[in-house]
Amino acid sequence: MTASNANGAARCLAALAMLSVAVTGAAARAAEAKPNVVLIVIDDLGWADLGCYGSKFHKTPHLDRLAAEGMRFTQAYAACPVCSPTRAAIMTGRYPQRMNITTWVPGHPDRPDHRLKQPEVNQKLPATELTIAEALKPRGYASASIGKWHLGGEGSSPTDHGFDVNVGGDQAGSPYSYFAPYTNKAGKSIPGLDEAPEGEYLTDRLATEAEKFIDAHRQQPFFLYLPHYAVHTPLKAKADMIARYGSMPSEPNGSQINPIYAAMMESMDAAVGRVLKKLEDAQLTEQTLVIFTSDNGGLANGNGQIIPPTSNAPLRDGKSHLYEGGIRVPLIVKWPGVVKPGSTCDQVVSSIDFFPTIVSACGAMADSSSPIDGLDLRPVLDATGSLPREAIYWHFPHYNGNAGAKPGAAIRAGDWKLIEFYETGRRELFNVAKDMRESNNLIEQNADVAKDLHARLAAWRESVGAKMPAPNPDYTPNPQQADGVIRIHSSTADVNGTMLRYEPLPNKDTLGFWVRQEDWASVDFTVTRPGKYHL
């Protein structure tokens, strides 16, 4: 080796040594970093409800700003089309089927007009499950759950699952009242809100409690879980805000036109803005990871309402359904120094991903004895890579009231999505990248794709111990009325073929898309008295 080469080699070795020190130092700093975490979950917020997601009716300036300062996800999904299972998935990073929480707690009871008996579900989050709060506690994090819990009451409240503070959380799925006093008919108060000035609005109060928690723990790392009761029914908002959106229309038109819901949205947005402002005032913005999302799709066809709370268009259907409107949700992440402001991400992510992302960001450890189904989102947040995700899954073996939802399951793998309906075994296949409206069932043209996806869905159900529905021995479809008439509603029809479907309120409330002669429908009904009948 020449002298010049030796000097060059020495310089390279020195540079490598300095690089090694720098990398080691960065790794050490990352291990020591303890970012604050604010996880905001809105109840029943639809994918298209925010201005930054295209809404022209709802006013959401603070969330639009959050999206401008962070990353907006276009293909984020809830783990379930209803609330409790998604909340269990958020807390644990695991599919809710592993915990046997597959519908909201306690769920709808079986009825004679249900063809299937629903499996029994856990009424609370099992004590054996590791939550985000429990995972962060060894790292010195203070934690608070402020708002809706819906994963059990006494013995399974947030403080039983690692949280230091619980304000507002118990077994309830909807608020006792949106205006103070926050009590139910039995006189029971929402936990921690026994004292409140008459007429105070619950969304505002939860923002106040969040601000108090941030002030009290600004000198230590904290995890603030802020699951608002809004914008869940019953629709209640401030009168002056409602008036700004006009009067309630008398006829549906399939768009976002509900002034009460819009007013609830505005209050929710302002409450989120207050929390973000508190972080700024406390000079904590730069060291805080903020995640904003929903627990399921917007309520677009539920409870038999002529004017539903919202519309998820262009997505199909809404809460309780396995179509995109029921499971695709808004997701915004702001993490200064990691997430590029104003960025968007079109990768498929799920609420099961929050646990591993937060735990990793905070340098915490998860219990390896329980499989974590979610993925750490860091590679897409800092734009260093993609997610090694093959598919995400849903299993909803339940009926859900007047929303018209029926038991089923779904898988999304790449651009393909397969939905299976348990009552009849019907399957539908969509390319959601090309057809986010799920208007073109491609199962006849792509039978091999459907077969593969169904096999993967069945294998996943087996792996997570999913409980299946069973035939209902008391099944009594469309029973005969006292006057002898049998009224058969289109929502009870079994559709056959590819395009025919039942279109729920607020659209037609009839069978529609009957554009193929090969498609047909059949209906079960019950006759208890003999005689001649006119159809």
Side-chain angles (χ1 to χ4, degrees):
M1 179 182 292
T2 64
S4 60
N5 286 341
N7 290 336
R11 285 195 297 272
C12 288
L13 288 172
L16 287 171
M18 286 188 290
L19 177 61
S20 176
V21 171
V23 171
T24 302
R29 286 193 298 274
E32 288 301 316
K34 295 181 180 180
N36 304 310
V37 178
V38 177
L39 173 55
I40 304 171
V41 178
I42 307 303
D43 200 347
D44 289 359
L45 180 70
W47 180 79
D49 275 343
L50 306 180
C52 56
Y53 278 87
S55 177
K56 304 299 183 185
F57 186 60
H58 305 142
K59 295 179 174 63
T60 56
H62 298 98
L63 287 164
D64 297 345
R65 177 188 171 192
L66 182 67
E69 295 174 346
M71 177 177 286
R72 182 175 64 87
F73 287 75
T74 61
Q75 299 194 87
Y77 289 91
C80 186
V82 296
C83 49
S84 296
T86 297
R87 293 166 190 274
I90 288 173
M91 282 291 102
T92 65
R94 287 155 50 80
Y95 279 114
Q97 291 73 26
R98 294 189 186 276
M99 298 165 265
N100 194 30
I101 301 176
T102 49
T103 190
W104 59 274
V105 176
H108 283 289
D110 288 318
R111 301 190 324 207
D113 60 338
H114 291 168
R115 186 174 295 167
L116 301 175
K117 282 184 64 68
Q118 304 166 108
E120 294 184 0
V121 300
N122 276 339
Q123 297 297 301
K124 61 184 180 181
L125 184 67
T128 53
E129 295 292 332
L130 180 72
T131 66
I132 298 173
E134 289 169 325
L136 298 187
K137 191 174 290 291
R139 292 283 286 165
Y141 276 75
S143 59
S145 176
I146 298 177
K148 174 176 172 176
W149 177 243
H150 205 190
L151 290 173
E154 185 176 352
S156 188
S157 72
T159 52
D160 295 307
H161 291 280
F163 287 93
D164 303 307
V165 175
N166 169 37
V167 176
D170 59 8
Q171 77 283 351
S174 58
Y176 299 158
S177 172
Y178 268 112
F179 290 96
Y182 307 115
T183 55
N184 60 15
K185 294 179 180 179
K188 181 182 178 182
S189 296
I190 296 176
L193 301 180
D194 307 77
E195 297 182 5
E198 185 83 18
E200 178 187 59
Y201 193 53
L202 177 59
T203 306
D204 296 340
R205 175 61 180 275
L206 295 181
T208 298
E209 295 295 330
E211 291 171 326
K212 288 163 57 177
F213 177 78
I214 293 172
D215 270 335
H217 298 89
R218 59 200 302 173
Q219 300 300 325
Q220 69 178 114
F222 61 78
F223 168 47
L224 170 59
Y225 176 48
L226 182 55
H228 274 281
Y229 279 96
V231 285
H232 194 287
T233 55
L235 299 188
K236 301 290 181 180
K238 302 172 186 176
D240 58 332
M241 281 191 179
I242 296 173
R244 292 205 292 269
Y245 292 92
S247 59
M248 178 73 80
S250 58
E251 297 291 335
N253 69 1
S255 61
Q256 295 172 346
I257 55 174
N258 193 312
I260 307 174
Y261 186 82
M264 294 179 75
M265 287 283 300
E266 186 174 339
S267 287
M268 178 275 292
D269 177 79
V272 172
R274 286 175 54 186
V275 173
L276 298 176
K277 180 66 164 54
K278 174 59 65 174
L279 292 173
E280 292 177 5
D281 293 344
Q283 298 184 333
L284 296 174
T285 298
E286 296 303 309
Q287 61 195 73
T288 302
L289 164 61
V290 178
I291 301 174
F292 174 93
T293 192
S294 175
D295 61 347
N296 48 248
L299 184 59
N301 49 17
N303 300 331
Q305 299 173 85
I306 298 297
I307 307 298
T310 192
S311 166
N312 299 311
L315 305 183
R316 181 174 171 181
D317 278 340
K319 178 182 178 180
S320 304
H321 292 265
L322 291 170
Y323 294 113
E324 293 291 282
I327 53 179
R328 194 183 292 206
V329 293
L331 171 61
I332 302 171
V333 178
K334 178 181 177 181
W335 193 0
V338 176
V339 171
K340 180 182 177 181
S343 56
T344 59
C345 178
D346 62 1
Q347 292 200 42
V348 174
V349 301
S350 169
S351 38
I352 58 176
D353 298 330
F354 299 145
F355 178 98
T357 300
I358 293 170
V359 168
S360 174
C362 298
M365 298 289 290
D367 181 2
S368 59
S369 64
S370 298
I372 301 299
D373 298 303
L375 300 175
D376 184 353
L377 297 179
R378 182 66 179 253
V380 297
L381 294 176
D382 62 14
T384 59
S386 58
L387 299 176
R389 167 160 278 145
E390 295 183 357
I392 54 175
Y393 304 87
W394 296 267
H395 167 68
F396 185 60
H398 302 280
Y399 297 87
N400 202 31
N402 295 321
K406 297 181 179 180
I411 172 176
R412 172 152 184 198
D415 295 338
W416 291 106
K417 178 181 172 187
L418 179 81
I419 304 177
E420 177 185 15
F421 296 94
Y422 291 148
E423 281 192 334
T424 62
R426 175 181 173 83
R427 300 169 195 167
E428 298 176 355
L429 179 70
F430 304 99
N431 185 314
V432 288
K434 296 179 180 179
D435 178 25
M436 68 190 303
R437 297 175 183 270
E438 295 172 296
S439 60
N440 191 15
N441 181 7
L442 301 173
I443 196 161
E444 288 185 354
Q445 303 95 310
N446 298 273
D448 289 344
V449 173
K451 181 178 180 181
D452 173 65
L453 292 180
H454 183 257
R456 293 165 68 178
L457 179 57
W460 170 80
R461 277 195 299 254
E462 182 73 20
S463 71
V464 297
K467 303 290 192 300
M468 297 295 289
N472 180 7
D474 301 318
Y475 180 46
T476 311
N478 293 312
Q480 196 164 16
Q481 300 172 54
D483 60 2
V485 173
I486 302 171
R487 301 188 186 279
I488 301 173
H489 196 277
S490 53
S491 62
T492 65
D494 293 330
V495 294
N496 299 270
T498 60
M499 297 301 293
L500 178 64
R501 69 189 65 163
Y502 166 66
E503 295 184 271
L505 288 170
N507 301 308
K508 297 179 180 179
D509 202 22
T510 62
L511 293 179
F513 282 79
W514 211 327
V515 296
R516 292 185 1 132
Q517 187 173 352
E518 300 89 340
D519 292 357
W520 56 281
S522 62
V523 182
D524 289 342
F525 55 93
T526 305
V527 181
T528 54
R529 300 210 305 267
K532 292 183 178 181
Y533 292 85
H534 177 71
L535 177 63

